[in-house]
Each structure stands twice: as structure tokens, then as C-alpha cells.
Amino acid sequence: MSAPSPAPFIELRRGAAPLLVSIPHTGTEIPEALAGDFVSSWQALRDADWWIDRLYDFAPGLDATVIRTRISRSVIDVNRDPSGASLYPGQATTGLCPTTDFDGAPLYRDGREPDEAEIARRRQAYHDPYHDVIAGEIARLRALHGRVVLYDCHSIRSVIPRLFEGELPVCNIGTDRGRAADPRLAARIAGRCAEAGFSHVSNGRFVGGWITRHHGAPAEGVHAVQMELACRGYMEEPSAPSAANWPAPYDPARAATLRSVLEQILRDCVDFANSKE
């Protein structure tokens, strides 16, 4: 069921199942006061997790709790460490308030990048409320269930040389190298990907962002998993994204098999949470 929005930019659907689905990167809203700071609106929205909310739109039917922010990750990335520390030291990545896109191109006009005071303002306005809602919903669900699963939904282009070599597997499962979730849950998810013939890896290039690392606490009954999907699993990716061809349209026919696997994965998450093992 829909719940009163804790903030105007956060969408929250409350469910009773022991499953919280987080969708942090599909937002395309940029506050009017900031819009002129970016090189272009297309550049600012280029790295959104396109169509992921549509890909997982079956989640309410499982009575999952679903949380989504409408704010663009280029304004502030709610899946980054709020201190500004890199989640992947020594590797290329983007920050809390990113100043470049995934390929290293600047997001802001010269001299318009956010300073420390502006970053702190955005953190208080957008990052903290998102995590407050996650924490509150985890507490609500933990009062109903012995354990819960936090499933964090993401996608990314299949080939981004600045971030990783070659072509990314379709399914990239992250549990902070086993610290954020029971290995049995991660193995069950990987098994579903293998059964369907999707290339996959656990704790490879992407081991989970701040959402997974901060909220996952298996000893306290909270198991957090990030699923980073290569976009080719549900859309026809162009070889060179441009304003003329990106984002590519959502492809229901291409997405059908992946959706089926993802629905079974979420059902597995619920079964795991309900299990007494």
C-alpha cells in the first residue's frame, strides 16, 4: 500500500513481506536552482539506472516495501558514503556529489561544481532522508519478522572502460564480500542466474554500495544484497551512447526472461527471510 511520503522526492510503498526493495538511481529530477550548473540535462541524467523501476514493477505484488528517490544521482548519490570516502579505493568511481560521469566527462560548467557547504546541504536535504526511511522501514519489518532482506536495484551500461575491463556480466551480485548477507542467500541468487543462462558474478567489480554496506547486518537479522544489472539484459544498448540514442527504450520482449528471473530471486529473498534455517 502507498504510504505518506516522508519527503516530497521519496516514493514509498509499504508492504508486510520481509523484503525491502530500494531503487536509488532512477531519479531524473534536478532542482530548478541547480539545473543551470550542469553542462546539459542529458549529461546530468546519462548515468541514471534507466527503466529499473519498470523492470521491478512486480515487487508490490509480492507485498514488498519499495522505496525510490526521484532526485537524480548527479545531484547527490544516495548510494555513496556520506563522508565522501571512496567505496572503491584505487579504482575509478563517482562520488557523493559527482562532478564527472562514468566516462570521466565533466558534469558541471566551469566553476559551478558544488563546494563543501553545498555538498553538506544536499546531504541533509536528500541523502539523510533516504537512509532514514530505509532504517525506519527495516525497523518496522523487523518488528514483524525474524529477519528481513534489503534488495538494492541497479543497472549500468555493459561496457565502460574507465570503470571496468571488457563486458560486464549481466547479473552482478554484491554483498560487501559476504559481510552484508548470509552466503546462502547470495548462492541462491547466483543459482537462479545460472539456471537462466545469464552471465553472473558475486562480489566482482561491484560488491555493493553504501546502502548495502551501511544497512546490511546479518547478525541483527538484516541481509542486504545489491544487484547491478548490465543494461543489455532489458534494452538494446548502442555502442556509443549519445543524446540521440540514449537512453535506449525499454524492451519488454528482451526484458521478459530477466524479469522472470528477478521475480523468482525476490521470492527467494522472501523465502530466505521466512526460513528458520
Side-chain angles (χ1 to χ4, degrees):
M1 62 180 177
S2 296
S5 179
F9 59 90
I10 292 178
E11 297 175 1
L12 174 63
R13 187 271 177 195
R14 285 199 175 109
L19 175 64
L20 174 57
V21 175
S22 165
I23 304 177
H25 286 159
T26 59
T28 56
E29 292 184 7
I30 296 175
E32 185 176 353
L34 302 178
D37 293 341
F38 289 95
V39 171
S40 70
S41 59
W42 177 78
Q43 188 77 11
L45 301 179
R46 185 173 183 236
D47 294 331
D49 291 4
W50 290 106
W51 320 131
I52 281 293
D53 46 344
R54 181 171 178 181
L55 189 68
Y56 283 95
D57 65 8
F58 57 81
L62 304 179
D63 204 16
T65 295
V66 182
I67 175 177
R68 172 183 177 267
T69 176
R70 295 196 295 268
I71 294 293
S72 167
R73 68 183 299 166
S74 292
V75 174
I76 190 163
D77 191 335
V78 297
N79 199 34
R80 293 295 181 266
D81 188 330
S83 74
S86 174
L87 295 177
Y88 295 96
Q91 296 177 287
T93 186
T94 52
L96 181 64
C97 292
T99 56
T100 67
D101 65 15
F102 288 160
D103 295 300
L107 289 175
Y108 288 89
R109 301 180 190 279
D110 288 344
R112 306 289 283 273
E113 299 88 349
D115 58 18
E116 290 186 10
E118 173 60 14
I119 291 171
R121 186 196 69 80
R122 294 185 197 182
R123 173 183 170 180
Q124 183 176 30
Y126 305 117
H127 190 285
D128 292 351
Y130 192 79
H131 286 273
D132 288 346
V133 173
I134 289 179
E137 292 305 305
I138 287 174
R140 180 181 66 84
L141 294 173
R142 282 285 287 114
L144 300 174
H145 305 280
R147 58 186 174 188
V148 300
V149 174
L150 168 59
Y151 183 95
D152 198 36
C153 308
H154 295 268
S155 71
I156 194 169
R157 286 179 283 131
S158 298
V159 177
I160 305 179
R162 177 173 175 264
L163 298 187
F164 49 82
E165 294 182 1
E167 186 177 69
L168 198 69
V170 172
C171 299
N172 300 267
I173 305 155
T175 62
D176 192 19
R177 300 180 178 88
R179 289 185 284 266
D182 190 312
R184 293 173 297 176
L185 175 59
R188 190 178 302 185
I189 293 171
R192 290 293 181 188
C193 299
E195 289 169 7
F198 285 117
S199 56
H200 64 282
V201 66
S202 293
N203 294 306
R205 173 60 180 86
F206 300 103
V207 304
W210 181 249
I211 292 168
T212 302
R213 302 185 199 194
H214 180 63
H215 294 284
E220 299 171 20
V222 183
H223 300 262
V225 178
Q226 175 177 296
M227 177 65 84
E228 184 88 56
L229 298 170
C231 291
R232 70 182 183 278
Y234 60 92
M235 65 163 76
E236 185 70 36
E237 286 190 69
S239 57
S242 70
N245 63 22
W246 187 260
Y250 179 80
D251 186 338
R254 179 185 285 256
T257 300
L258 182 57
R259 271 174 60 92
S260 178
V261 173
L262 294 173
E263 181 170 358
Q264 188 56 64
I265 285 172
L266 291 196
R267 291 184 184 277
D268 287 341
C269 289
V270 173
D271 290 344
F272 170 82
N274 285 327
S275 172
K276 303 301 181 182
E277 296 179 4

PDB file of all heavy atoms in Angstrom, residues 55 158 170 198 229-237 251 253-259:
ATOM      1  N   LEU A  55      11.362  -2.343 -14.611  1.00  0.00           N
ATOM      2  CA  LEU A  55      11.794  -3.750 -14.639  1.00  0.00           C
ATOM      3  C   LEU A  55      11.327  -4.491 -13.392  1.00  0.00           C
ATOM      4  O   LEU A  55      10.991  -5.677 -13.460  1.00  0.00           O
ATOM      5  CB  LEU A  55      13.320  -3.809 -14.748  1.00  0.00           C
ATOM      6  CG  LEU A  55      13.953  -5.171 -14.994  1.00  0.00           C
ATOM      7  CD1 LEU A  55      13.615  -5.693 -16.376  1.00  0.00           C
ATOM      8  CD2 LEU A  55      15.474  -5.090 -14.828  1.00  0.00           C
ATOM      9  N   SER A 158      26.849  -1.890 -20.263  1.00  0.00           N
ATOM     10  CA  SER A 158      27.640  -3.126 -20.271  1.00  0.00           C
ATOM     11  C   SER A 158      29.129  -2.902 -20.461  1.00  0.00           C
ATOM     12  O   SER A 158      29.946  -3.707 -20.015  1.00  0.00           O
ATOM     13  CB  SER A 158      27.140  -4.062 -21.379  1.00  0.00           C
ATOM     14  OG  SER A 158      25.805  -4.449 -21.163  1.00  0.00           O
ATOM     15  N   VAL A 170      25.883  -9.916 -16.987  1.00  0.00           N
ATOM     16  CA  VAL A 170      24.514  -9.379 -16.915  1.00  0.00           C
ATOM     17  C   VAL A 170      24.108  -9.150 -15.466  1.00  0.00           C
ATOM     18  O   VAL A 170      23.510  -8.127 -15.129  1.00  0.00           O
ATOM     19  CB  VAL A 170      23.523 -10.319 -17.623  1.00  0.00           C
ATOM     20  CG1 VAL A 170      22.080  -9.851 -17.381  1.00  0.00           C
ATOM     21  CG2 VAL A 170      23.800 -10.371 -19.124  1.00  0.00           C
ATOM     22  N   PHE A 198      22.186 -16.615 -17.553  1.00  0.00           N
ATOM     23  CA  PHE A 198      22.728 -15.258 -17.527  1.00  0.00           C
ATOM     24  C   PHE A 198      24.147 -15.272 -16.958  1.00  0.00           C
ATOM     25  O   PHE A 198      24.400 -15.908 -15.927  1.00  0.00           O
ATOM     26  CB  PHE A 198      21.857 -14.330 -16.674  1.00  0.00           C
ATOM     27  CG  PHE A 198      20.572 -13.926 -17.332  1.00  0.00           C
ATOM     28  CD1 PHE A 198      19.350 -14.281 -16.782  1.00  0.00           C
ATOM     29  CD2 PHE A 198      20.576 -13.186 -18.506  1.00  0.00           C
ATOM     30  CE1 PHE A 198      18.160 -13.906 -17.373  1.00  0.00           C
ATOM     31  CE2 PHE A 198      19.388 -12.809 -19.118  1.00  0.00           C
ATOM     32  CZ  PHE A 198      18.177 -13.169 -18.559  1.00  0.00           C
ATOM     33  N   LEU A 229      22.689  -4.761 -12.709  1.00  0.00           N
ATOM     34  CA  LEU A 229      22.384  -5.423 -13.973  1.00  0.00           C
ATOM     35  C   LEU A 229      23.033  -4.675 -15.129  1.00  0.00           C
ATOM     36  O   LEU A 229      22.995  -3.442 -15.175  1.00  0.00           O
ATOM     37  CB  LEU A 229      20.877  -5.472 -14.204  1.00  0.00           C
ATOM     38  CG  LEU A 229      20.043  -6.241 -13.193  1.00  0.00           C
ATOM     39  CD1 LEU A 229      18.562  -5.983 -13.439  1.00  0.00           C
ATOM     40  CD2 LEU A 229      20.345  -7.734 -13.269  1.00  0.00           C
ATOM     41  N   ALA A 230      23.596  -5.417 -16.077  1.00  0.00           N
ATOM     42  CA  ALA A 230      24.037  -4.799 -17.324  1.00  0.00           C
ATOM     43  C   ALA A 230      22.797  -4.468 -18.144  1.00  0.00           C
ATOM     44  O   ALA A 230      21.887  -5.289 -18.274  1.00  0.00           O
ATOM     45  CB  ALA A 230      24.955  -5.751 -18.086  1.00  0.00           C
ATOM     46  N   CYS A 231      22.765  -3.269 -18.694  1.00  0.00           N
ATOM     47  CA  CYS A 231      21.550  -2.795 -19.374  1.00  0.00           C
ATOM     48  C   CYS A 231      21.129  -3.671 -20.549  1.00  0.00           C
ATOM     49  O   CYS A 231      19.943  -3.701 -20.910  1.00  0.00           O
ATOM     50  CB  CYS A 231      21.753  -1.367 -19.865  1.00  0.00           C
ATOM     51  SG  CYS A 231      21.850  -0.127 -18.560  1.00  0.00           S
ATOM     52  N   ARG A 232      22.067  -4.410 -21.147  1.00  0.00           N
ATOM     53  CA  ARG A 232      21.701  -5.228 -22.303  1.00  0.00           C
ATOM     54  C   ARG A 232      20.707  -6.318 -21.952  1.00  0.00           C
ATOM     55  O   ARG A 232      20.106  -6.930 -22.839  1.00  0.00           O
ATOM     56  CB  ARG A 232      22.948  -5.835 -22.939  1.00  0.00           C
ATOM     57  CG  ARG A 232      23.643  -6.926 -22.124  1.00  0.00           C
ATOM     58  CD  ARG A 232      24.895  -7.427 -22.827  1.00  0.00           C
ATOM     59  NE  ARG A 232      25.560  -8.508 -22.117  1.00  0.00           N
ATOM     60  CZ  ARG A 232      26.386  -8.361 -21.091  1.00  0.00           C
ATOM     61  NH1 ARG A 232      26.664  -7.146 -20.638  1.00  0.00           N
ATOM     62  NH2 ARG A 232      26.954  -9.412 -20.515  1.00  0.00           N
ATOM     63  N   GLY A 233      20.522  -6.568 -20.660  1.00  0.00           N
ATOM     64  CA  GLY A 233      19.546  -7.574 -20.252  1.00  0.00           C
ATOM     65  C   GLY A 233      18.111  -7.165 -20.517  1.00  0.00           C
ATOM     66  O   GLY A 233      17.218  -8.018 -20.552  1.00  0.00           O
ATOM     67  N   TYR A 234      17.868  -5.849 -20.715  1.00  0.00           N
ATOM     68  CA  TYR A 234      16.478  -5.420 -20.901  1.00  0.00           C
ATOM     69  C   TYR A 234      16.322  -4.286 -21.918  1.00  0.00           C
ATOM     70  O   TYR A 234      15.227  -3.742 -22.082  1.00  0.00           O
ATOM     71  CB  TYR A 234      15.865  -5.007 -19.562  1.00  0.00           C
ATOM     72  CG  TYR A 234      16.564  -3.856 -18.867  1.00  0.00           C
ATOM     73  CD1 TYR A 234      16.162  -2.550 -19.070  1.00  0.00           C
ATOM     74  CD2 TYR A 234      17.639  -4.089 -18.007  1.00  0.00           C
ATOM     75  CE1 TYR A 234      16.797  -1.497 -18.439  1.00  0.00           C
ATOM     76  CE2 TYR A 234      18.276  -3.044 -17.374  1.00  0.00           C
ATOM     77  CZ  TYR A 234      17.853  -1.751 -17.592  1.00  0.00           C
ATOM     78  OH  TYR A 234      18.493  -0.710 -16.964  1.00  0.00           O
ATOM     79  N   MET A 235      17.398  -3.916 -22.603  1.00  0.00           N
ATOM     80  CA  MET A 235      17.306  -2.916 -23.663  1.00  0.00           C
ATOM     81  C   MET A 235      18.385  -3.175 -24.702  1.00  0.00           C
ATOM     82  O   MET A 235      19.349  -3.909 -24.443  1.00  0.00           O
ATOM     83  CB  MET A 235      17.455  -1.494 -23.111  1.00  0.00           C
ATOM     84  CG  MET A 235      18.819  -1.195 -22.525  1.00  0.00           C
ATOM     85  SD  MET A 235      19.153   0.579 -22.320  1.00  0.00           S
ATOM     86  CE  MET A 235      18.179   0.949 -20.873  1.00  0.00           C
ATOM     87  N   GLU A 236      18.225  -2.591 -25.867  1.00  0.00           N
ATOM     88  CA  GLU A 236      19.224  -2.682 -26.931  1.00  0.00           C
ATOM     89  C   GLU A 236      20.215  -1.551 -26.716  1.00  0.00           C
ATOM     90  O   GLU A 236      19.911  -0.382 -26.949  1.00  0.00           O
ATOM     91  CB  GLU A 236      18.563  -2.545 -28.301  1.00  0.00           C
ATOM     92  CG  GLU A 236      19.508  -2.746 -29.474  1.00  0.00           C
ATOM     93  CD  GLU A 236      19.967  -4.190 -29.627  1.00  0.00           C
ATOM     94  OE1 GLU A 236      19.170  -5.101 -29.365  1.00  0.00           O
ATOM     95  OE2 GLU A 236      21.143  -4.386 -30.015  1.00  0.00           O
ATOM     96  N   GLU A 237      21.419  -1.897 -26.260  1.00  0.00           N
ATOM     97  CA  GLU A 237      22.397  -0.860 -25.957  1.00  0.00           C
ATOM     98  C   GLU A 237      23.122  -0.384 -27.208  1.00  0.00           C
ATOM     99  O   GLU A 237      23.638  -1.193 -27.972  1.00  0.00           O
ATOM    100  CB  GLU A 237      23.447  -1.385 -24.977  1.00  0.00           C
ATOM    101  CG  GLU A 237      22.981  -1.537 -23.553  1.00  0.00           C
ATOM    102  CD  GLU A 237      24.155  -1.837 -22.625  1.00  0.00           C
ATOM    103  OE1 GLU A 237      24.998  -0.939 -22.416  1.00  0.00           O
ATOM    104  OE2 GLU A 237      24.230  -2.965 -22.125  1.00  0.00           O
ATOM    105  N   ASP A 251      12.762  -2.524 -23.507  1.00  0.00           N
ATOM    106  CA  ASP A 251      12.359  -3.553 -24.470  1.00  0.00           C
ATOM    107  C   ASP A 251      11.650  -4.679 -23.720  1.00  0.00           C
ATOM    108  O   ASP A 251      12.306  -5.558 -23.146  1.00  0.00           O
ATOM    109  CB  ASP A 251      13.602  -4.080 -25.194  1.00  0.00           C
ATOM    110  CG  ASP A 251      13.272  -5.050 -26.320  1.00  0.00           C
ATOM    111  OD1 ASP A 251      12.176  -5.645 -26.288  1.00  0.00           O
ATOM    112  OD2 ASP A 251      14.114  -5.220 -27.225  1.00  0.00           O
ATOM    113  N   ALA A 253      10.104  -7.349 -24.635  1.00  0.00           N
ATOM    114  CA  ALA A 253      10.400  -8.712 -25.087  1.00  0.00           C
ATOM    115  C   ALA A 253      11.773  -9.155 -24.586  1.00  0.00           C
ATOM    116  O   ALA A 253      11.941 -10.274 -24.102  1.00  0.00           O
ATOM    117  CB  ALA A 253      10.341  -8.771 -26.611  1.00  0.00           C
ATOM    118  N   ARG A 254      12.755  -8.268 -24.701  1.00  0.00           N
ATOM    119  CA  ARG A 254      14.105  -8.598 -24.229  1.00  0.00           C
ATOM    120  C   ARG A 254      14.118  -8.764 -22.715  1.00  0.00           C
ATOM    121  O   ARG A 254      14.852  -9.591 -22.165  1.00  0.00           O
ATOM    122  CB  ARG A 254      15.090  -7.504 -24.646  1.00  0.00           C
ATOM    123  CG  ARG A 254      16.518  -7.738 -24.189  1.00  0.00           C
ATOM    124  CD  ARG A 254      17.383  -6.543 -24.550  1.00  0.00           C
ATOM    125  NE  ARG A 254      17.690  -6.523 -25.954  1.00  0.00           N
ATOM    126  CZ  ARG A 254      18.872  -6.877 -26.476  1.00  0.00           C
ATOM    127  NH1 ARG A 254      19.854  -7.279 -25.683  1.00  0.00           N
ATOM    128  NH2 ARG A 254      19.088  -6.811 -27.760  1.00  0.00           N
ATOM    129  N   ALA A 255      13.307  -7.964 -22.026  1.00  0.00           N
ATOM    130  CA  ALA A 255      13.309  -7.971 -20.565  1.00  0.00           C
ATOM    131  C   ALA A 255      12.543  -9.136 -19.960  1.00  0.00           C
ATOM    132  O   ALA A 255      12.709  -9.427 -18.764  1.00  0.00           O
ATOM    133  CB  ALA A 255      12.713  -6.663 -20.045  1.00  0.00           C
ATOM    134  N   ALA A 256      11.719  -9.805 -20.748  1.00  0.00           N
ATOM    135  CA  ALA A 256      10.793 -10.801 -20.193  1.00  0.00           C
ATOM    136  C   ALA A 256      11.506 -11.891 -19.403  1.00  0.00           C
ATOM    137  O   ALA A 256      11.110 -12.221 -18.276  1.00  0.00           O
ATOM    138  CB  ALA A 256       9.953 -11.405 -21.317  1.00  0.00           C
ATOM    139  N   THR A 257      12.558 -12.476 -19.972  1.00  0.00           N
ATOM    140  CA  THR A 257      13.256 -13.551 -19.271  1.00  0.00           C
ATOM    141  C   THR A 257      13.932 -13.037 -18.010  1.00  0.00           C
ATOM    142  O   THR A 257      13.866 -13.677 -16.946  1.00  0.00           O
ATOM    143  CB  THR A 257      14.304 -14.199 -20.197  1.00  0.00           C
ATOM    144  OG1 THR A 257      13.650 -14.729 -21.351  1.00  0.00           O
ATOM    145  CG2 THR A 257      15.030 -15.331 -19.471  1.00  0.00           C
ATOM    146  N   LEU A 258      14.550 -11.872 -18.121  1.00  0.00           N
ATOM    147  CA  LEU A 258      15.215 -11.307 -16.955  1.00  0.00           C
ATOM    148  C   LEU A 258      14.216 -10.983 -15.857  1.00  0.00           C
ATOM    149  O   LEU A 258      14.464 -11.250 -14.677  1.00  0.00           O
ATOM    150  CB  LEU A 258      15.989 -10.051 -17.357  1.00  0.00           C
ATOM    151  CG  LEU A 258      16.798  -9.358 -16.266  1.00  0.00           C
ATOM    152  CD1 LEU A 258      17.815 -10.308 -15.636  1.00  0.00           C
ATOM    153  CD2 LEU A 258      17.500  -8.119 -16.822  1.00  0.00           C
ATOM    154  N   ARG A 259      13.085 -10.418 -16.217  1.00  0.00           N
ATOM    155  CA  ARG A 259      12.045 -10.122 -15.228  1.00  0.00           C
ATOM    156  C   ARG A 259      11.600 -11.390 -14.500  1.00  0.00           C
ATOM    157  O   ARG A 259      11.402 -11.391 -13.286  1.00  0.00           O
ATOM    158  CB  ARG A 259      10.829  -9.472 -15.896  1.00  0.00           C
ATOM    159  CG  ARG A 259      10.887  -7.978 -15.982  1.00  0.00           C
ATOM    160  CD  ARG A 259       9.723  -7.438 -16.780  1.00  0.00           C
ATOM    161  NE  ARG A 259       8.423  -7.775 -16.206  1.00  0.00           N
ATOM    162  CZ  ARG A 259       7.766  -6.995 -15.344  1.00  0.00           C
ATOM    163  NH1 ARG A 259       8.301  -5.863 -14.939  1.00  0.00           N
ATOM    164  NH2 ARG A 259       6.578  -7.345 -14.896  1.00  0.00           N
TER     165      ARG A 259
END
